Amino acid sequence: MPRQVARWIATTPSQRGLHATEGLHRLFEHCPELERTHDLVRQFAAMLDNRDAAGLTDWLDHLTASNLPALASLAKAIREDQAAVVQGITTPFNSGVNEGRITDLKLQKRITAGRAGVPLLRQRVIFMANPDAAIRDGVSPAHGGTPPLHEILARAREVRTPTPSTSTPRTKVGKGSSCEIVRRTPMCLSRIRIGR
């Protein structure tokens, strides 16, 4: 329920459904602190929509005066880097692309963790950045570089395939049958085998 209420509060009032609007009004009747929080969130959303940080200082004062510890802590954190917050509000630029790349990189690192090492991770990062160039510019080991991705993957599959007896979770599917999921390295490909 708290996540749903947070979603209702973060949604623009004109885009909320009837259920969300009625639910929020019922909550506001029982919890005036939540209504205060809602009003402050909507004020900040208006600053973002208008790209106008002129009211940020007053808004931070309202956060501090709200007597809600979480909001006062948020105000303190924003004040520590207020110049960056003002830039974030007033400029159309954001770090979304960089954050996406970092998320992709962390995913690739988790997928290959303990399986193929830095050469495979390097190839995957290059492939993520530009798939056509990564395939076209595959560096040959003869030239002192990293082997192409397909060679690394082939070697990793040969060396590190888990044994089904130790790494396979079994779940009962029906009467007398079991569903076996086998994870294969390094691509974390799943194969489902149903048997009796």
Side-chain angles (χ1 to χ4, degrees), residues 107-164:
L107 174 66
Q108 293 301 322
K109 184 179 174 189
R110 276 188 223 108
I111 288 172
T112 61
R115 294 192 172 105
V118 176
L120 177 61
L121 182 61
R122 179 180 173 272
Q123 286 289 332
R124 285 183 170 218
V125 169
I126 292 170
F127 186 75
M128 284 178 355
N130 189 350
D132 297 331
I135 293 169
R136 182 183 66 241
D137 300 337
V139 182
S140 169
H143 294 94
T146 306
L149 179 61
H150 63 87
E151 290 178 18
I152 295 172
L153 291 175
R155 271 189 269 148
R157 279 190 201 107
E158 291 171 6
V159 175
R160 297 195 173 109
T161 303
T163 57

Side-chain angles (χ1 to χ4, degrees), residues 26 31 38 66 79 90 104 141 145 149-150 169 173 178-179 196:
R26 282 194 307 270
C31 184
H38 172 265
S66 68
R79 279 196 172 102
T90 58
D104 290 344
L149 179 61
H150 63 87
V173 174
S178 66
C179 177
R196 291 199 182 257

